[in-house]
Amino acid sequence: MAKAIPSRSENYSEWYNELIKKADLAENSAVRGCMVIKPYGYSIWEKMQRALDDMFKETGHSNAYFPLFIPKSYLSKEASHVEGFAKECAVVTHYRLKNAEDGSGVIVDPEAKLEEELIVRPTSETVIWSTYKNWIQSYRDLPLLINQWANVVRWEMRTRIFLRTAEFLWQEGHTAHATQAEAEAETRQMLDVYARFAEEWMSMPVVRGSKTPNERFAGAEDTLCIEAMMQDGKALQAGTSHFLGQNFAKAFDVQFLNKANQQEFVWGTSWGVSTRLMGALIMAHSDDDGLVLPPKLAPIQVVIVPIYRNEEQLAQLSERILPLVKDLRKAGISVKFDDSDTNKPGWKFAEYELRGVPVRLAMGMRDFENGTVEIARRDLKTKETVPFEGILERIQALLDDIQQSIYQKALAFRQANTFKVDTWDEFKEQIEKGGFILAHWDGTSETEEAIKEETKATIRCIPFDAAAEEGVCVFSGKPSTRRVVFARAY
Amino acid sequence: MAKAIPSRSENYSEWYNELIKKADLAENSAVRGCMVIKPYGYSIWEKMQRALDDMFKETGHSNAYFPLFIPKSYLSKEASHVEGFAKECAVVTHYRLKNAEDGSGVIVDPEAKLEEELIVRPTSETVIWSTYKNWIQSYRDLPLLINQWANVVRWEMRTRIFLRTAEFLWQEGHTAHATQAEAEAETRQMLDVYARFAEEWMSMPVVRGSKTPNERFAGAEDTLCIEAMMQDGKALQAGTSHFLGQNFAKAFDVQFLNKANQQEFVWGTSWGVSTRLMGALIMAHSDDDGLVLPPKLAPIQVVIVPIYRNEEQLAQLSERILPLVKDLRKAGISVKFDDSDTNKPGWKFAEYELRGVPVRLAMGMRDFENGTVEIARRDLKTKETVPFEGILERIQALLDDIQQSIYQKALAFRQANTFKVDTWDEFKEQIEKGGFILAHWDGTSETEEAIKEETKATIRCIPFDAAAEEGVCVFSGKPSTRRVVFARAY
């Protein structure tokens, strides 16, 4: 097989890079840190978008679009926000090129300098809250529930396709509310939407919790997150939902007249997931033979490969298979009938395994005569010969089963790699082996930073479902009331 | 009515601006030339996107995503391309801000200067063809049929919402082919897709034709376009499809091994439509009371307003109306049942007229008792009282009728405002009155420019369906073989 990729145990990082390349998902562009998302990868992203967008709309949100550029002065209006983003932003300073007078080519026209520099949005709180100021006057204008699908830019120094790129695609929800309680409920609701998407669509179990103050979004009062475990035991933050308090309302003077006829500052939230989810999807399920995709997000759910020696055989096989193709499509299942003669069946099998097609059917002349078909599932790599009759129902059931099965597998993996740890020596030992560590923490930033410094482990979250439990901090020995999740992370 | 807008005859331009504002479609942002597309406007754009995207996929195209930034040197590789875009591009020169040492705030960090400036894409031919170089080796890799939905930036000095903005949203198709004939066929196919979308979805008749060399896309060998007539008689270019020849293939050295085992340069096309279509949609159909939307693109297709004096009446009306709401949704018709008591029915009627909801139902107690309902169509502003029984089928038929009817109205308007003109005096007189002028042209750029200089009229296109006809140029008196379309344009 020309397309072999390194195994995960050999080199997890190279496995990831090569898989992205060989499965035609994406590639680095000539522009530093910016990726090209190739058609096959983009079609997975489109399915993610569609599912998320439907969920946002079901929860009452509308899409809108705000400018790519943010005036420098806007970014500065919320103090911790500019602190968080100033160090890694692309700055537009001019609006024209011209031919160099010495004929050396095209140069930036020094006479076309902007009065105020523009930042390419790293996130849109500032430009959106400056707009909300004009949209919100009274409690009748609230809640304002808006989402945007957009590209954003953060000038990361070390980039990695899907996981950390200078430009990435995402959605960012920005909502405004009359009360703190309502904004907090929205923050939590959207985290739950993300968790549901991760678990039901991506088949990827997640831990829901709050970030520590150190790890909060720049400008938020509270950041909620979902954390997933990758197959190398590292954590990946898969989505965040921020309770902004009145910070941006105050920075942009967004007030409303409440029912008691008093001016009040508005309460805000923001929440986002990005093309980073593509990285999570790949690392959560795929194996040494290629992608493993949950059926709900697979661009091709079923591939059918006829095995034939001549045109006549192909004609016979096609006659039986084509009505099935039609029925599958009618049932909303995406199917590819690969009858091309440029590649052999074995090559095709390997190729569709690499691309993560969940179900593969193969039919040769013996199957044809016996009224059977071979059906293989990508996740378990098992296959069996079954009657052709009733195959549609079997495929439907199998797709459902695969969706569940890879979720259960990932969940079992996470459970097997989550450890309660109570001593510092044990902590240091376990963190080298990978996985999530449930340990007591004294609640201080100093301890959190010292642990990170010594082990590269961060507090992924304070889980919502952590039981109250008396204990002592694994690092400082000071008292603690519940365990938090530590891990090394992407 | 608080929301009244100026009439078209009074001030067409103000009518357009106020309509966009009052119907909550979009607004200017604080960033010069960049717009905010508000939820109602964006939901129309989403419907356009969905319909176009389906048509692109039906014709074999896939979506992908390419970087926002283009290295300055890339833009320069195709000579006429850089000539066309250098004068109006946003240039990123730095990648970091920092706190000023004098405490005056946040400034651009002079130490974070990029080695090579990056251009925010005004269009993506250069970055895409530099990528295609790696994707195309053999004829087996062709055709490559890719589309991208993206934001682009052109630093226009005079901007106007939807029609001409510094940042806008669009799709750009970029295809690569083995032969000239195939690339030319693709160019024409995509123009026909645009024409079909304009006519069948936007109910907007268009003239299909070729641009003159003067009006071609920078870097194209041929530009095809669709041109629509707005209600003030001006033309609006609603979509373009470019045959790029081998220009970008040569600029980026994209060659392939053909079946005869020889290296050849690839043939290319590109094609795009943008949020400009929103401007076209508004100006093609709307009237002095607000938007008129074709049902296929209307975010709300049917609004139902109950007319009641008390809760008991509302309960009775709701009991009859809610099953209809459910049936309409089941039939794929978007419906709003506006039973809010904050506004009176008259206010609601005006509001939904302003927003262009194609069909309005109203039911009061008399209707309730008589088993009737009032049905009104937005486009003709007619209404009638009809039996409630069978209302679903009536609504479906009415939506179809409106879709057709506003197309026919726009077509009749264009026909009534298209004039064959044979003398220069007549030309100058007619151009002041508006409309399309069909006139002979000698085929030279000099004449085209002289006419533009004197009358502000441009050649919108050389229509595909222009009959061969001997004549003399309306300006120069030189011989001509067919008429072209002149108009003032947006």
Side-chain angles (χ1 to χ4, degrees):
Chain A
M1 293 197 315
K3 290 226 172 184
I5 52 176
S7 71
R8 287 161 294 172
S9 56
E10 209 177 314
N11 188 333
Y12 193 80
S13 171
E14 265 307 295
W15 165 80
Y16 176 78
N17 293 339
E18 280 298 302
L19 177 51
I20 286 174
K21 191 172 156 184
K22 296 281 169 57
D24 258 352
L25 297 175
E27 64 184 36
N28 286 310
S29 78
V31 185
R32 209 195 61 78
C34 294
M35 63 183 159
V36 173
I37 307 179
K38 300 179 81 172
Y40 193 65
Y42 200 85
S43 65
I44 300 173
W45 176 241
E46 283 182 297
K47 285 183 168 263
M48 289 186 170
Q49 283 188 301
R50 186 69 65 97
L52 284 163
D53 199 66
D54 286 347
M55 291 166 99
F56 299 156
K57 284 176 179 156
E58 275 161 26
T59 44
H61 302 83
S62 302
N63 289 328
Y65 189 76
F66 296 86
L68 172 66
F69 298 128
I70 298 177
K72 195 186 67 182
S73 58
Y74 278 39
L75 199 68
S76 314
K77 283 199 180 181
E78 212 287 335
S80 58
H81 191 71
V82 67
E83 190 65 28
F85 290 105
K87 289 176 208 117
E88 49 174 35
C89 58
V91 189
V92 176
T93 57
H94 292 74
Y95 58 85
R96 192 165 62 221
L97 300 175
K98 67 167 194 173
N99 290 313
E101 278 160 27
D102 62 4
S104 62
V106 175
I107 59 167
V108 175
D109 186 343
E111 286 177 22
K113 191 170 187 309
L114 291 171
E115 270 183 47
E116 180 178 5
E117 296 89 351
L118 297 172
I119 311 305
V120 180
R121 63 181 163 219
T123 180
S124 302
E125 278 76 6
T126 56
V127 72
I128 287 181
W129 280 88
S130 77
T131 308
Y132 281 2
K133 180 175 169 54
N134 301 318
W135 292 3
I136 299 170
Q137 272 86 43
S138 129
Y139 67 91
R140 285 187 206 88
D141 302 320
L142 298 172
L144 190 56
L145 306 172
I146 289 181
N147 176 62
Q148 162 171 278
W149 290 95
N151 53 344
V152 287
V153 171
R154 298 177 187 177
W155 208 261
E156 304 278 357
M157 280 302 148
R158 297 175 59 187
T159 61
R160 190 111 189 260
I161 291 192
F162 290 133
L163 299 175
R164 198 174 292 278
T165 48
E167 182 193 16
F168 56 92
L169 304 184
W170 79 345
Q171 59 69 219
E172 45 182 325
H174 296 272
T175 69
H177 306 264
T179 66
Q180 174 169 1
E182 208 187 278
E184 285 176 339
E186 166 81 4
T187 311
R188 178 60 195 258
Q189 171 185 254
M190 298 322 290
L191 191 81
D192 290 343
V193 162
Y194 289 155
R196 193 147 56 82
F197 174 75
E199 300 190 336
E200 293 177 12
W201 289 79
M202 297 175 68
S203 295
M204 182 176 79
V206 291
V207 177
R208 308 173 197 203
S210 311
K211 286 288 182 197
T212 61
N214 265 7
E215 300 277 336
R216 269 180 205 149
F217 175 72
E221 303 263 299
D222 197 7
T223 288
L224 311 183
C225 64
I226 51 172
E227 296 283 328
M229 185 186 288
M230 301 295 101
Q231 290 180 74
D232 59 352
K234 283 170 82 171
L236 187 145
Q237 175 182 297
T240 49
S241 182
H242 314 293
F243 170 62
L244 303 176
Q246 295 173 312
N247 291 346
F248 285 91
K250 284 178 179 166
F252 290 91
D253 191 29
V254 186
Q255 299 189 51
F256 72 104
L257 209 59
N258 67 18
K259 287 187 184 175
N261 228 24
Q262 293 158 326
Q263 289 286 338
E264 264 190 78
F265 284 107
V266 166
W267 299 85
T269 84
S270 65
W271 28 276
V273 295
S274 73
T275 36
R276 184 157 227 253
L277 288 179
M278 292 287 296
L281 184 71
I282 295 162
M283 289 204 293
H285 305 303
S286 300
D287 64 22
D288 297 346
D289 295 315
L291 284 178
V292 172
L293 294 175
K296 284 188 184 179
L297 295 176
I300 303 168
Q301 295 173 307
V302 178
V303 64
I304 308 178
V305 178
I307 299 167
Y308 58 94
R309 290 172 197 271
N310 52 49
E311 285 297 312
E312 192 192 344
Q313 290 184 352
L314 176 59
Q316 284 183 297
L317 293 169
S318 299
E319 198 179 340
R320 183 161 307 165
I321 293 169
L322 288 175
L324 173 65
V325 170
K326 213 170 148 188
D327 288 347
L328 285 166
R329 291 205 176 121
K330 209 182 289 170
I333 295 170
S334 61
V335 55
K336 180 170 178 174
F337 175 47
D338 186 353
D339 63 350
S340 67
D341 58 5
T342 42
N343 297 300
K344 295 226 161 73
W347 190 95
K348 290 179 188 175
F349 288 7
E351 180 68 14
Y352 294 114
E353 274 173 11
L354 184 63
R355 287 177 171 252
V357 177
V359 172
R360 182 189 73 219
L361 297 190
M363 190 187 286
M365 290 317 290
R366 178 172 306 208
D367 287 311
F368 182 80
E369 281 148 25
N370 296 342
T372 58
V373 64
E374 183 188 271
I375 184 165
R377 58 188 287 173
R378 172 64 186 88
D379 60 332
L380 302 181
K381 305 203 63 165
T382 53
K383 55 187 179 184
E384 54 179 332
T385 296
V386 301
F388 188 73
E389 198 174 320
I391 190 68
L392 176 64
E393 294 70 25
R394 193 183 282 266
I395 290 171
Q396 283 173 316
L398 187 55
L399 289 170
D400 287 347
D401 188 56
I402 295 173
Q403 186 79 30
Q404 292 308 319
S405 176
I406 61 179
Y407 173 80
Q408 291 301 337
K409 186 180 171 194
L411 183 61
F413 180 82
R414 189 186 78 191
Q415 284 164 343
N417 288 281
T418 298
F419 308 95
K420 282 197 180 175
V421 166
D422 291 313
T423 71
W424 184 236
D425 281 345
E426 207 188 331
F427 188 103
K428 284 186 292 185
E429 198 185 319
Q430 185 56 52
I431 205 72
E432 293 300 327
K433 296 185 199 152
F436 286 1
I437 293 179
L438 298 172
H440 280 283
W441 163 60
D442 65 18
T444 70
S445 288
E446 295 69 37
T447 296
E448 189 180 5
E449 276 158 20
I451 292 174
K452 184 176 178 182
E453 179 71 24
E454 199 168 331
T455 65
K456 291 185 192 141
T458 48
I459 299 177
R460 302 316 304 155
C461 70
I462 306 163
F464 294 150
D465 63 3
E469 180 192 295
E470 294 297 316
V472 295
C473 174
V474 73
F475 185 80
S476 67
K478 289 182 191 158
S480 152
T481 55
R482 59 174 174 174
R483 292 176 188 266
V484 299
V485 178
F486 284 92
R488 287 181 182 161
Y490 281 97
Chain B
M1 291 196 316
K3 290 225 172 187
I5 51 176
S7 71
R8 288 161 294 172
S9 57
E10 211 176 313
N11 188 333
Y12 193 81
S13 170
E14 263 309 293
W15 164 81
Y16 176 77
N17 293 339
E18 279 299 301
L19 177 50
I20 286 174
K21 191 172 157 184
K22 295 283 169 57
D24 258 352
L25 297 175
E27 64 185 37
N28 286 311
S29 78
V31 185
R32 209 196 61 79
C34 294
M35 61 182 161
V36 172
I37 307 179
K38 301 180 80 171
Y40 193 65
Y42 200 84
S43 64
I44 300 172
W45 176 241
E46 284 182 296
K47 286 184 168 262
M48 290 185 170
Q49 283 189 300
R50 186 69 65 98
L52 284 164
D53 200 65
D54 286 346
M55 291 167 98
F56 299 157
K57 284 175 178 155
E58 274 161 29
T59 43
H61 302 84
S62 302
N63 288 328
Y65 189 76
F66 297 85
L68 172 67
F69 298 128
I70 298 176
K72 195 187 66 182
S73 58
Y74 279 37
L75 199 67
S76 313
K77 284 200 180 182
E78 213 287 337
S80 58
H81 191 71
V82 67
E83 190 65 29
F85 290 105
K87 289 176 208 117
E88 49 174 35
C89 58
V91 189
V92 176
T93 56
H94 292 74
Y95 58 85
R96 193 164 63 219
L97 299 175
K98 67 165 195 173
N99 290 313
E101 280 161 25
D102 63 4
S104 63
V106 175
I107 60 167
V108 174
D109 185 343
E111 287 177 20
K113 193 171 184 312
L114 291 170
E115 270 182 48
E116 180 179 5
E117 296 89 348
L118 297 172
I119 310 306
V120 180
R121 62 181 163 219
T123 180
S124 301
E125 277 77 7
T126 56
V127 73
I128 289 181
W129 280 88
S130 76
T131 308
Y132 281 2
K133 180 175 170 53
N134 303 318
W135 293 2
I136 299 170
Q137 273 84 43
S138 128
Y139 68 91
R140 285 187 206 88
D141 302 320
L142 298 173
L144 190 56
L145 305 173
I146 290 181
N147 176 62
Q148 160 170 280
W149 290 95
N151 54 344
V152 287
V153 171
R154 299 177 186 177
W155 208 262
E156 304 276 359
M157 280 301 147
R158 296 175 60 187
T159 62
R160 190 109 190 262
I161 291 191
F162 290 130
L163 299 174
R164 197 174 292 278
T165 48
E167 182 193 16
F168 56 91
L169 304 183
W170 79 346
Q171 60 67 220
E172 44 181 326
H174 295 272
T175 69
H177 306 265
T179 66
Q180 174 169 0
E182 208 188 276
E184 284 176 339
E186 166 81 5
T187 310
R188 178 60 195 257
Q189 171 184 255
M190 298 321 290
L191 190 82
D192 289 344
V193 162
Y194 290 155
R196 193 148 54 84
F197 173 75
E199 299 189 335
E200 292 178 11
W201 289 79
M202 297 176 69
S203 296
M204 183 175 78
V206 291
V207 177
R208 308 173 197 202
S210 312
K211 286 289 183 196
T212 62
N214 266 6
E215 300 276 336
R216 269 179 204 148
F217 175 73
E221 303 264 298
D222 197 7
T223 287
L224 311 184
C225 64
I226 51 172
E227 297 282 328
M229 186 186 286
M230 302 294 100
Q231 290 180 75
D232 60 353
K234 284 171 82 173
L236 188 144
Q237 175 182 296
T240 48
S241 183
H242 314 294
F243 170 63
L244 303 176
Q246 296 174 309
N247 292 345
F248 286 90
K250 285 179 179 166
F252 290 91
D253 191 28
V254 185
Q255 300 189 52
F256 73 104
L257 209 59
N258 66 19
K259 287 187 183 174
N261 227 27
Q262 293 159 325
Q263 289 286 338
E264 262 190 81
F265 284 106
V266 166
W267 299 85
T269 85
S270 66
W271 29 274
V273 296
S274 72
T275 36
R276 186 159 225 254
L277 287 180
M278 292 288 294
L281 185 70
I282 296 163
M283 289 203 293
H285 306 303
S286 300
D287 64 24
D288 296 347
D289 295 315
L291 284 177
V292 172
L293 294 175
K296 285 189 184 179
L297 295 176
I300 304 168
Q301 294 174 307
V302 178
V303 63
I304 307 178
V305 179
I307 299 166
Y308 58 93
R309 288 171 197 271
N310 53 49
E311 286 297 313
E312 191 193 344
Q313 290 185 351
L314 177 59
Q316 284 184 296
L317 293 169
S318 299
E319 198 179 339
R320 182 160 307 164
I321 293 168
L322 288 175
L324 172 65
V325 169
K326 214 170 149 187
D327 289 347
L328 285 166
R329 292 206 174 120
K330 209 181 289 171
I333 294 169
S334 62
V335 54
K336 179 168 179 177
F337 175 47
D338 186 352
D339 63 350
S340 67
D341 59 4
T342 41
N343 296 300
K344 295 228 161 73
W347 189 95
K348 292 178 188 175
F349 289 7
E351 180 68 14
Y352 295 113
E353 274 172 13
L354 184 62
R355 288 178 170 252
V357 177
V359 172
R360 182 188 76 220
L361 298 191
M363 190 188 285
M365 291 316 291
R366 180 173 304 207
D367 287 310
F368 182 79
E369 281 148 25
N370 295 344
T372 57
V373 63
E374 183 188 271
I375 186 165
R377 58 189 284 173
R378 171 63 185 90
D379 60 332
L380 301 181
K381 306 202 60 163
T382 53
K383 54 185 180 186
E384 53 178 332
T385 296
V386 301
F388 188 73
E389 198 173 322
I391 191 68
L392 176 63
E393 293 71 25
R394 192 182 282 265
I395 289 170
Q396 284 173 316
L398 187 54
L399 289 171
D400 287 347
D401 188 56
I402 295 172
Q403 185 80 28
Q404 291 308 318
S405 175
I406 60 180
Y407 172 81
Q408 291 301 337
K409 186 180 171 195
L411 182 61
F413 180 82
R414 188 185 80 191
Q415 284 165 342
N417 288 281
T418 298
F419 309 95
K420 283 196 180 174
V421 167
D422 292 311
T423 71
W424 185 236
D425 281 345
E426 208 188 331
F427 189 104
K428 284 187 292 186
E429 199 186 318
Q430 186 56 52
I431 205 71
E432 292 301 326
K433 295 186 199 153
F436 286 1
I437 293 179
L438 298 172
H440 281 281
W441 164 60
D442 64 20
T444 70
S445 288
E446 295 70 36
T447 296
E448 190 180 4
E449 276 158 20
I451 292 174
K452 184 176 178 183
E453 179 71 24
E454 198 168 330
T455 65
K456 292 184 193 142
T458 48
I459 299 178
R460 302 315 305 156
C461 69
I462 306 163
F464 295 149
D465 62 2
E469 181 191 294
E470 296 294 318
V472 295
C473 173
V474 73
F475 185 81
S476 68
K478 292 180 190 158
S480 151
T481 55
R482 60 176 174 173
R483 292 176 187 268
V484 300
V485 178
F486 285 92
R488 287 180 181 160
Y490 282 98

